[in-house]
Amino acid sequence: MDKLPKIALPVVIIAIVVIIIISKSAVNISSGQNGVLFERFGGGVVTDEPALGEGFHIVAPWNDVFIYEVRQQTLDESMKVLSSNGLDIRLDASVWFEPQREKLGLLHQEKGENYVQRVLMPAIRSATRTVVGRYTPEQLYASKREIIQSEIDDEMQQQLKDQYIQVNRILVRDVSLPENIKDAIERKLRQEQEALEYEFRLTKAVQEAERQRIDAEGKARANEILNASLTSNILKEKGIQATIELSKSNNSKVIVIGSGQEGMPIILGNN
């Protein structure tokens, strides 16, 4: 019985050491995360192997594991940039991004855990300055937001080409101009609309006048043709036919004979 404590003590010590080693060696990586292994005695950051995936891992206690979020993340930025003529433009944008999983080791080695502040934020600010700097305030006010988004996205893709970061989408939430510039642009647009409306009315008036002229010319031409076709013989024949028709009426009537050779009878009804 005296020997039991002497045997139990080393066992307890060994068990404690094992527990410490396991606790230091065990790494649990949650969903949506990956781990970058740093081998203290094996060359540093492991870049030639895939990052540690989700789940439970055992690593040597002298090594470290750096956990990265690999799901899509959002970065919201509010920036003041200059237009092509040097006026301040406020632009609010959101970036959907994620680190490239297959190059997570290189991202950690070259950029570090705060890669968002070191790489992503400067990239979106630079891309926004470049794109907005191409336009005047009037063009920014009139341009569709989708066009600006597309150009900023293209610019960011170029800047982040070898930075191990994947940009999924750029969303421009708002483009704000100085109030006085905005008011001036709105006045100009209203004046342009009024000018277009006046031009439209003038065009309609000219078209209506042209229509009436063509209509009058058509009627005049028709009358000329009709007058040319109505000879004296035709008129006399039509008068005789009308007289005959009137004479067939049962009502009493007075017939007045016109004078001269061309005189036509006139029948006056008497009901």
Side-chain angles (χ1 to χ4, degrees):
M1 292 295 294
D2 294 337
K3 292 182 179 180
L4 184 60
K6 294 180 180 179
I7 296 175
L9 184 60
V11 173
V12 171
I13 293 173
I14 291 172
I16 293 172
V17 171
V18 169
I19 291 172
I20 293 173
I21 291 174
I22 292 176
S23 64
K24 293 286 289 182
S25 302
V27 177
N28 184 47
I29 299 177
S30 300
S31 59
Q33 297 179 334
N34 277 182
V36 176
L37 181 62
F38 177 80
E39 296 180 340
R40 198 171 303 278
F41 304 110
V45 178
V46 176
T47 59
D48 55 354
E49 295 180 10
L52 301 177
E54 301 171 1
F56 184 80
H57 301 270
I58 296 294
V59 299
W62 52 84
N63 293 337
D64 294 321
V65 176
F66 297 89
I67 307 298
Y68 279 82
E69 184 82 21
V70 292
R71 285 177 292 203
Q72 179 174 276
Q73 303 163 65
T74 301
L75 172 65
D76 295 327
E77 278 289 282
S78 181
M79 299 158 281
K80 277 189 176 182
V81 291
L82 298 178
S83 63
S84 62
N85 55 0
L87 292 175
D88 284 335
I89 306 296
R90 187 178 186 85
L91 187 143
D92 296 332
S94 296
V95 184
W96 292 351
F97 72 97
E98 59 189 76
Q100 296 178 359
R101 300 191 185 198
E102 67 279 6
K103 297 181 180 179
L104 199 58
L106 292 170
L107 177 67
H108 178 74
Q109 185 181 59
E110 297 182 19
K111 314 302 176 186
E113 293 176 283
N114 58 343
Y115 69 92
V116 173
Q117 291 76 22
R118 286 184 175 180
V119 180
L120 191 61
M121 290 174 66
I124 185 174
R125 290 170 183 169
S126 174
T128 303
R129 283 195 299 269
T130 300
V131 172
V132 174
R134 299 170 185 162
Y135 295 96
T136 63
E138 291 84 354
Q139 291 170 329
L140 290 170
Y141 189 85
S143 296
K144 294 182 179 179
R145 191 172 299 177
E146 290 78 8
I147 297 175
I148 301 174
Q149 286 182 175
S150 177
E151 292 188 9
I152 294 176
D153 181 72
D154 292 342
E155 191 69 29
M156 281 200 67
Q157 296 294 349
Q158 288 297 321
Q159 295 192 23
L160 297 174
K161 187 175 181 181
D162 300 314
Q163 303 299 315
Y164 321 118
I165 303 171
Q166 176 180 317
V167 174
N168 297 329
R169 192 174 180 185
I170 303 289
L171 300 174
V172 175
R173 303 192 308 273
D174 185 46
V175 178
S176 301
L177 306 179
E179 202 62 33
N180 59 332
I181 300 298
K182 182 179 178 181
D183 292 342
I185 292 173
E186 290 178 348
R187 284 196 303 271
K188 180 181 177 182
L189 291 175
R190 282 196 300 269
Q191 292 169 357
E192 289 177 352
Q193 283 298 117
E194 291 171 358
L196 288 174
E197 183 179 359
Y198 176 78
E199 184 178 348
F200 173 76
R201 291 179 179 176
L202 186 62
T203 301
K204 290 291 290 183
V206 170
Q207 290 175 346
E208 179 62 18
E210 181 67 12
R211 186 193 67 78
Q212 292 178 0
R213 184 186 66 80
I214 294 173
D215 185 54
E217 288 180 353
K219 289 180 179 179
R221 180 59 180 162
N223 289 333
E224 288 177 3
I225 295 172
L226 181 61
N227 290 335
S229 65
L230 293 176
T231 63
S232 59
N233 291 332
I234 292 176
L235 289 173
K236 184 185 296 184
E237 180 183 352
K238 288 188 176 294
I240 293 170
Q241 289 175 353
T243 303
I244 293 172
E245 292 298 324
L246 285 172
S247 66
K248 294 178 182 179
S249 174
N250 294 326
N251 298 325
S252 60
K253 55 190 74 67
V254 176
I255 300 177
V256 179
I257 304 299
S259 62
Q261 294 181 351
E262 303 299 327
M264 294 295 296
I266 300 175
I267 300 175
L268 304 177
N270 188 6
N271 294 330

